Amino acid sequence: MIMPSQPPVSDAPGRRADFWIALTFAVIANLVFLGLLVISVSWRNPPPVPVTAELYVPPAPEPRPLPPPPPPPKPVTPPPEVKPPTQPDPEIAIQKKKEEERRKQEAEEKARQEKLKKEQLEKAAREKAERERIEKKEREEKERKEAEQKAREDEARREAELQKMLAEQRKRDELQAALDRWTQSIRIKVTGNVILPTGIEGNPEAAFLIVQLPTGEVIDAKLQKSSGNAAYDDAVYRAIMKSSPLPKPERTDLFRRELRFVFRPRD
């Protein structure tokens, strides 16, 4: 604050009155200045006021239908270009004619080559078919001959097997016949030496197992089944031992070391 300087005491009364008036106005001016200063500070720094806010979401606008697309622009056809007539060049015409003749000759040559190739393929196909037919015929003929040969071989094999079976059967029959003749000769010799005891009833049978040597000498005679008459059993045993040596077989391969015989007094 600026304070006015005081006038000297020695001034006149009129100046003294002006001094006090000026002092009063200076004090009032300073007070007004302070008041304005306080008001200015208070207005610039107001107290904080609480603020509340609400969020508001506006509703979604309804979709508006899209406007139809504009029609496509019509194509603008340019006017045909009118070319002035040109005069044909004789050299170009000659070259064109030569080119056409060349193409014609090439086409004819190509057609001829294709025809020749086709004929060759057809000929090859015919030759292949004929060759296959001949091969098939030869194969069938070969198979027929092989089948006939196999049939003949099978027939010959069956015939050989049959002959073999017949021969074996004849051999067995001959062997059995020779064996029967041999055993029959032994039976006849033994029966001829049997002295029948008196009082034999019926026709009982006694079975003996005769053990012999290849020379026909009897080693033993074992009673396997008794006739029920001890006297007849003993008579047969004595006849067997008396018949030693027994008759020999016609063939050495027929010899049996042990022979079983059944004797009956009425046979």
Side-chain angles (χ1 to χ4, degrees):
M1 179 177 25
I2 302 172
M3 301 293 296
S5 60
Q6 295 181 2
V9 180
S10 59
D11 285 345
R15 292 184 176 181
R16 189 176 298 162
D18 293 336
F19 168 75
W20 290 109
I21 293 170
L23 180 60
T24 301
F25 277 106
V27 171
I28 293 171
N30 287 325
L31 292 175
V32 171
F33 178 74
L34 288 175
L36 291 175
L37 182 61
V38 171
I39 293 171
S40 175
V41 172
S42 299
W43 177 74
R44 289 187 179 183
N45 296 314
V49 179
V51 179
T52 60
E54 295 182 1
L55 297 178
Y56 172 72
V57 179
E62 296 182 359
R64 297 181 180 179
L66 298 176
K74 295 182 179 181
V76 179
T77 305
E81 182 180 357
V82 179
K83 296 182 180 181
T86 56
Q87 296 295 330
D89 190 354
E91 187 67 23
I92 295 176
I94 294 172
Q95 293 294 333
K96 185 177 180 181
K97 185 176 180 180
K98 290 181 179 180
E99 183 67 20
E100 290 178 355
E101 290 179 354
R102 184 183 64 79
R103 290 179 180 176
K104 184 179 179 181
Q105 291 177 358
E106 289 180 354
E108 292 176 353
E109 180 65 20
K110 183 177 180 182
R112 189 181 69 81
Q113 293 293 336
E114 290 179 354
K115 182 180 179 182
L116 180 61
K117 184 178 180 180
K118 183 179 179 181
E119 291 176 352
Q120 292 176 350
L121 291 175
E122 291 176 352
K123 181 180 179 182
R126 289 193 300 270
E127 292 177 351
K128 181 180 179 182
E130 181 65 18
R131 185 169 57 254
E132 290 178 351
R133 186 186 66 81
I134 295 173
E135 290 176 354
K136 182 180 179 182
K137 184 177 180 180
E138 292 177 350
R139 184 169 59 253
E140 291 176 350
E141 182 67 17
K142 181 180 179 181
E143 290 176 354
R144 184 184 64 81
K145 291 181 179 180
E146 289 178 352
E148 292 178 354
Q149 180 66 20
K150 186 175 184 300
R152 288 193 296 269
E153 291 176 355
D154 292 343
E155 183 65 23
R157 184 173 59 255
R158 287 193 296 269
E159 183 66 22
E161 291 176 354
L162 179 60
Q163 294 298 328
K164 182 179 179 181
M165 290 173 59
L166 293 175
E168 290 177 352
Q169 185 62 39
R170 286 194 298 269
K171 184 178 180 180
R172 285 193 297 269
D173 294 342
E174 292 174 357
L175 184 63
Q176 185 63 40
L179 185 61
D180 292 342
R181 289 193 297 271
W182 177 41
T183 57
Q184 185 64 18
S185 64
I186 294 175
R187 182 185 298 276
I188 292 172
K189 186 175 182 179
V190 172
T191 303
N193 292 325
V194 174
I195 300 174
L196 294 176
T198 59
I200 297 178
E201 297 180 357
N203 193 24
E205 62 180 25
F208 280 88
L209 180 66
I210 300 175
V211 183
Q212 63 175 337
L213 296 175
T215 58
E217 184 180 355
V218 178
I219 300 174
D220 192 8
K222 299 176 182 179
L223 179 63
Q224 290 186 327
K225 181 183 178 183
S226 174
S227 64
N229 189 324
Y232 178 70
D233 294 342
D234 292 340
V236 174
Y237 176 77
R238 288 192 299 271
I240 293 172
M241 301 305 293
K242 185 179 179 180
S243 299
S244 180
L246 300 174
K248 296 180 181 179
E250 301 172 2
R251 297 163 41 180
T252 56
D253 57 343
L254 293 176
F255 175 77
R256 303 291 184 270
R257 179 178 175 83
E258 296 180 352
L259 292 175
R260 187 176 184 274
F261 287 92
V262 176
F263 297 96
R264 299 179 184 88
R266 306 300 179 189
D267 290 350

